[in-house]
Amino acid sequence: MNYLLTAHWAIEAPSEHVTARFAAHELRRAIQRMGGPALPIAGHATGQRIALRHGHAGDGFVRMADERGLVLIGEGPRGLLYAVYGLLEALGWRWVGPGPGDECVPRCAQISLPTETVAEQPALARRGLVIGHDLFLAQAEAWIAWAARARLNTIFIHTIGAGAMPLGACRWHYWLQRRARLWPLITERGLRLEIGGHHLRDAIPRRLFRRQPDLFRYDGRRRVADGNPCPTNPATQALVREWARSFFTAEPNASVYHLWPEDRLGGGWCACPQCRALAPSDQSLILANVIAEVLAELNPTARLAYLAYHDTFAPPQRVRPAANVEVVIAPRQRSYANGIGDATNPLNGPVAAQITALRAAFPAGASVFEYYLDGILFKSALPPLGETIAADVRAYHEWGLDGVHVLLTGDRPWLAVGPNPHSFAALAWHPQRDPAALRGEYAATRAPAVAALLDTAYATLATAWRHALAITPAEVRRQHDGQWHDPITHPPRDLLDGYDTPPPHREQRLAALHEALDALPAGEAALAAALHAAVAERAALAADAAEWSASALLLRFLAARQEVAVVQARRAPLARQQQALAAARAAHADLLNWAARHVPPPARAGHRLLRALLALHLDHLESRIALPWRHAQMRWQRLRELALLLATLWWKWRR
């Protein structure tokens, strides 16, 4: 039989399921874009055809040739859609991100259909994209389309209520505004919806504190209106039930709901006589079970996610989860230089042990909330993490976890998404794929004429970041405990901010950052050569080059900041310390200059806020050697800057 596609062929699609119909139209549109004929879609075809079939449910699929053409069979309607995308990939299509420059459309004078039999099944049952900022919710149409093409099956809208700062989440009311447009896109692709975030504070408003202080936690001395509520108080539980009912009613379409406690490292739980003996994990699970009881009544097929994160990362000891409570594990306190299953890594080894224990403690299911696309954790950069993602996903699969979600958040929209989205999606489906080859696919899609040069640039950047991300337990301990501190005297820190650890660790960190910087020139040379040679793909390549330079500038700042901490620990002469500070201030100014060129106006206040935190670190270091007048000047300047930025953001959020 001749498997060349002609106008005499048809797409045979007997199913009326919305996702099966969408799959047929996706196939038809793609064939036309390749230069092929506009194939009719029929319930029954009498001649040559591409037949689309599906079972009840599932993501796996089979593709095979027969005497009348090609047959695509999905385990379920979504599996059929993935079979269509698998066929298109076999014909040369690629989708490595959500933008037009992330798509490779093969152009063919004749389309020859593949005849080999293919059967595919995902390694992880749940593969999710977490949309975690208004900036990305505004782009959600493109991200949802990409997620389906990349064979992800879950869209998780990470939301926050009106009383909190949405720096790493979407405003709840903005989701409600966008839902009418986005829900049909999710539905027609057969994707699952998960929704929520750190919403528990919404259940017990702070305004109740004056009249009902017993609703709130006891800190060992008094009731306080910060942190999480008192979970054992029946009145607290009654209010949580009432609030949960309204939340589920407002958004009835999700398969999993996430109603988490406060986002803080520790110190946010109750120490009253009834709660004192309960660990944070048990206190959190008490309220999760209360919420789950309401969910079981309203939506028996949905589940509630208990969050294992920071001080709730240890498995609960005294409280057992309700039948509809699963666990989502957020291993943020780790090293991204190594895979999560690396037992030799002093951070990742203990985390791995906790993950396997959590899996055993929650029989309803366990998934992981990962940070490969988190522009807040990585300080407005996206390190290429292909090797780490591959090692992580293999470990998660081996440990029997149900799935992995990746958080997409940050302080600005990406100019180019880099290799991580494509690597994550491909590895979540098939963990044994080669991450270097996936990075090469990204480069070949973005800039086919100079793919090898772009791939070299990303490979060297990955090496540089591997040195920078090799953090130690000593650096993690420098983070704050989650309590409120004066941001001027105790500037907020994250995983890359352990710059003033004890002297031996400071020296080691500086050496690692210098190794990172040593890797950059080869990548810069490759990018320069690519930009010089590029013609048709120059715009896409320029976006990758700008993101690459953002990473390089950040690494140079981190090294310069570390240099200040080291020369201070060595008690170097004052002039030497001032020289190091001046270099660090210049590196910070380079970051701001980059932002002035590349960050769009709507995102500038949020981006500048995160960059102001880095300036606070330099102020903190300078305060050790500054004269009193300089202390006052720095404090006034920084307070004024932070107040203006927060006021700008608050005005924007309230609209």
Side-chain angles (χ1 to χ4, degrees):
M1 174 180 168
N2 189 345
Y3 287 89
L4 285 177
L5 203 59
T6 70
H8 299 294
W9 283 63
I11 297 172
E12 185 177 87
S15 173
E16 292 299 321
H17 191 283
V18 61
T19 303
R21 302 301 297 173
F22 178 76
H25 286 281
E26 279 281 85
L27 180 58
R28 185 177 191 270
R29 284 190 292 263
I31 289 171
Q32 285 184 272
R33 289 184 65 192
M34 292 174 68
L39 300 183
I41 299 173
H44 176 71
T46 57
Q48 293 173 303
R49 83 311 184 228
I50 303 174
L52 308 185
R53 308 278 187 269
H54 68 81
H56 177 65
D59 290 356
F61 64 84
V62 174
R63 183 179 76 237
M64 57 188 178
D66 67 5
E67 69 280 358
R68 293 181 53 212
L70 215 57
V71 181
L72 278 59
I73 306 172
E75 287 184 327
R78 190 169 60 228
L80 174 60
L81 180 60
Y82 296 154
V84 166
Y85 291 137
L87 170 61
L88 295 176
E89 287 173 351
L91 294 173
W93 284 77
R94 294 292 181 271
W95 302 275
V96 297
D102 300 315
E103 181 181 66
C104 174
V105 183
R107 306 291 182 182
C108 308
Q110 290 183 314
I111 299 174
S112 180
L113 296 175
T115 58
E116 69 275 11
T117 298
V118 173
E120 294 195 29
Q121 190 72 231
L124 292 168
R126 293 162 62 181
R127 307 167 307 282
L129 176 68
V130 184
I131 298 178
H133 198 286
D134 284 357
L135 292 167
F136 299 108
L137 189 57
Q139 304 173 339
E141 290 90 341
W143 281 105
I144 290 168
W146 169 79
R149 290 166 178 164
R151 303 186 206 173
L152 301 181
N153 63 4
T154 300
I155 298 296
F156 177 171
I157 308 298
H158 183 209
T159 55
I160 196 73
M165 295 174 63
L167 291 173
C170 308
R171 291 170 298 162
W172 173 250
H173 74 267
Y174 188 43
W175 159 249
L176 296 180
Q177 291 172 17
R178 297 235 63 208
R179 180 174 58 184
R181 168 63 182 155
L182 300 180
W183 177 241
L185 304 182
I186 294 170
T187 303
E188 68 184 0
R189 289 163 174 82
L191 304 178
R192 303 164 67 255
L193 175 67
E194 299 191 17
I195 197 159
H198 297 282
H199 277 285
L200 187 58
R201 63 181 293 158
D202 301 335
I204 311 293
R206 300 295 192 261
R207 57 182 166 76
L208 298 179
F209 181 71
R210 181 171 295 181
R211 291 186 289 109
Q212 295 176 274
D214 287 353
L215 297 172
F216 297 84
R217 73 183 186 95
Y218 181 70
D219 70 356
R221 295 178 296 140
R222 64 187 187 281
R223 297 282 176 175
V224 292
D226 70 342
N228 299 295
C230 175
T232 59
N233 186 340
T236 299
Q237 295 180 9
L239 284 173
V240 168
R241 283 191 186 92
E242 179 183 351
W243 170 81
R245 186 177 299 275
S246 66
F247 190 97
F248 299 142
T249 302
E251 179 46 82
N253 299 311
S255 60
V256 179
Y257 291 88
H258 300 258
L259 303 178
W260 305 332
E262 288 281 333
D263 185 356
R264 55 196 296 172
L265 288 172
W269 293 98
C270 188
C272 75
Q274 290 74 33
C275 296
R276 187 181 302 136
L278 297 170
S281 297
D282 293 293
Q283 293 193 37
S284 182
L285 187 53
I286 286 173
L287 291 176
N289 284 343
V290 168
I291 296 169
E293 182 181 349
V294 179
L295 181 60
E297 175 190 336
L298 295 178
N299 188 347
T301 63
R303 290 181 176 179
L304 184 80
Y306 163 92
L307 177 65
Y309 176 66
H310 289 335
D311 61 359
T312 62
F313 202 77
Q317 298 299 313
R318 299 192 176 198
V319 181
R320 294 291 173 263
N324 60 340
V325 175
E326 60 180 46
V327 61
V328 59
I329 303 165
R332 204 170 187 273
Q333 306 293 95
R334 57 164 292 188
S335 167
Y336 281 93
N338 304 84
I340 196 75
D342 185 350
T344 66
N345 185 281
L347 280 175
N348 294 358
V351 169
Q354 295 280 59
I355 290 174
T356 54
L358 283 161
R359 178 67 187 93
F362 286 82
S367 60
V368 179
F369 187 98
E370 267 295 359
Y371 297 88
Y372 312 127
L373 304 179
D374 185 351
I376 295 176
L377 177 64
F378 298 119
K379 302 190 182 304
S380 201
L382 280 182
L385 296 171
E387 295 287 346
T388 297
I389 296 170
D392 285 355
V393 174
R394 290 166 191 159
Y396 294 144
H397 179 238
E398 180 184 336
W399 297 338
L401 296 175
D402 300 294
V404 183
H405 306 295
V406 62
L407 174 63
L408 171 67
T409 192
D411 56 300
R412 61 181 179 86
W414 306 116
L415 303 171
V417 297
N420 288 356
H422 178 56
S423 296
F424 167 74
L427 289 162
W429 182 274
H430 184 9
Q432 300 308 317
R433 291 196 65 179
D434 178 7
L438 293 170
R439 187 187 63 228
E441 286 183 7
Y442 173 84
T445 302
R446 294 285 294 175
V450 290
L453 290 170
L454 183 57
D455 184 52
T456 296
Y458 274 113
T460 59
L461 189 61
T463 299
W465 270 107
R466 197 171 300 118
H467 292 296
L469 292 171
I471 60 174
T472 64
E475 292 170 272
V476 171
R477 285 193 291 270
R478 301 305 291 176
Q479 294 183 77
H480 289 313
D481 56 9
Q483 304 289 347
W484 187 90
H485 295 276
D486 183 335
I488 307 301
T489 57
H490 295 81
R493 305 186 193 192
D494 211 330
L495 288 183
L496 292 172
D497 297 325
Y499 52 85
D500 61 347
T501 52
H505 299 284
R506 292 190 204 192
E507 302 278 354
Q508 293 166 11
R509 168 56 40 200
L510 182 60
L513 288 168
H514 281 164
E515 288 186 85
L517 299 188
D518 289 343
L520 294 178
E524 289 171 329
L527 269 180
L531 286 166
H532 178 74
V535 180
E537 60 270 86
R538 188 172 182 83
L541 190 58
D544 281 281
E547 289 292 353
W548 198 100
S549 67
S551 268
L553 290 171
L554 177 59
L555 290 171
R556 291 186 173 113
F557 169 80
L558 296 178
R561 184 184 64 183
Q562 195 67 24
E563 182 82 20
V564 178
V566 166
V567 297
Q568 287 185 345
R570 292 174 180 170
R571 300 185 183 278
L574 181 61
R576 175 69 184 93
Q577 295 188 43
Q578 291 172 333
Q579 179 188 39
L581 269 166
R585 297 281 188 196
H588 187 265
D590 288 341
L591 291 172
L592 298 182
N593 290 335
W594 184 94
R597 297 192 303 274
H598 297 295
V599 177
R604 285 179 185 167
H607 179 76
R608 186 62 183 257
L609 179 63
L610 293 190
R611 291 299 184 236
L613 299 183
L614 299 182
L616 283 173
H617 298 159
L618 299 183
D619 292 351
H620 180 63
L621 290 167
E622 184 177 351
S623 68
R624 299 171 180 175
I625 60 171
L627 296 172
W629 68 266
R630 176 61 178 157
H631 280 265
Q633 182 188 47
M634 287 190 295
R635 184 175 184 85
W636 166 248
Q637 289 176 338
R638 209 60 64 201
L639 280 173
R640 181 176 180 274
E641 179 183 16
L642 292 173
L644 286 172
L645 289 171
L646 289 171
T648 301
L649 288 169
W650 191 252
W651 175 255
K652 176 183 175 182
W653 296 333
R654 301 302 291 178
R655 287 185 297 175

